[in-house]
Amino acid sequence: MNTKSFSISSKNIIKKWYFIDATDKILGRLCTLISHYLRGKHKEIYTPYMDVGDYIIVINASKIRLTGKKTKQKIYYRHTGHVSGLKKVKFSDMIINNPEKVIKKSVYGMLPKGPLGRLIFKKLKVYRDSFHNHHSQKPILLEI
């Protein structure tokens, strides 16, 4: 009996392009699906230490929604690095000014930390409205 274990190499990986319409989708549920596809966990060849995932295009990021009272209560924090440099931005303000950042920040938190996570994160493309410039990649629609 010949039992060789299969080890994936970078030349065996086929990366596809998918796009998702975020209109009226719940933020957390959408971002878990996005991170799942970015990491490649939907493939049989999934390997935790390699980038085997696909590219994801998200359109209509400004039409995403949250459940409950989170639209008024959710606050994003960041620190400038200076003394008393804590900055706060409400979700309701961020979805108006920079809706792409809402999805990117959520997905980034779900990816592995370190060089692999940063490499995977570069494959996420988020757009405010329905226009995107990746038509030549012939993306496949991902239904949720």
Side-chain angles (χ1 to χ4, degrees), residues 2-126:
N2 189 2
T3 57
K4 284 189 170 186
S5 59
F6 176 71
S7 181
I8 191 75
S9 67
S10 59
K11 60 185 170 195
N12 296 346
I13 299 170
I14 299 170
K15 296 188 180 187
K16 295 181 181 177
W17 284 75
Y18 293 101
F19 80 95
I20 298 173
D21 187 5
T23 305
D24 292 330
K25 301 289 190 290
I26 297 170
L27 177 66
R29 295 179 186 273
L30 176 71
C31 291
T32 53
L33 179 81
I34 292 170
S35 65
H36 188 81
Y37 272 81
L38 283 174
R39 289 209 58 196
K41 287 189 167 187
H42 63 287
K43 297 181 177 182
E44 300 104 19
I45 60 168
Y46 170 70
T47 310
Y49 56 86
M50 289 186 72
D51 178 18
V52 296
D54 296 321
Y55 290 85
I56 300 288
I57 304 164
V58 181
I59 58 173
N60 294 323
S62 60
K63 297 177 184 172
I64 199 141
R65 63 185 188 92
L66 296 175
T67 58
K69 298 180 182 179
K70 285 180 242 166
T71 52
K72 297 175 186 155
Q73 294 177 349
K74 186 168 181 64
I75 298 174
Y76 293 98
Y77 296 98
R78 69 179 183 88
H79 201 280
T80 62
H82 294 284
V83 177
S84 69
L86 186 66
K87 301 290 183 181
K88 301 177 189 176
V89 180
K90 289 184 178 180
F91 172 80
S92 54
D93 296 334
M94 191 179 269
I95 200 72
I96 293 168
N97 298 331
N98 199 352
E100 302 92 355
K101 200 169 189 176
V102 171
I103 294 176
K104 285 185 176 184
K105 193 167 178 65
S106 180
V107 171
Y108 189 76
M110 297 178 187
L111 294 176
K113 309 307 180 254
L116 180 64
R118 291 188 292 272
L119 181 71
I120 292 170
F121 184 68
K122 290 178 184 177
K123 297 186 299 181
L124 175 64
K125 316 294 182 194
V126 184

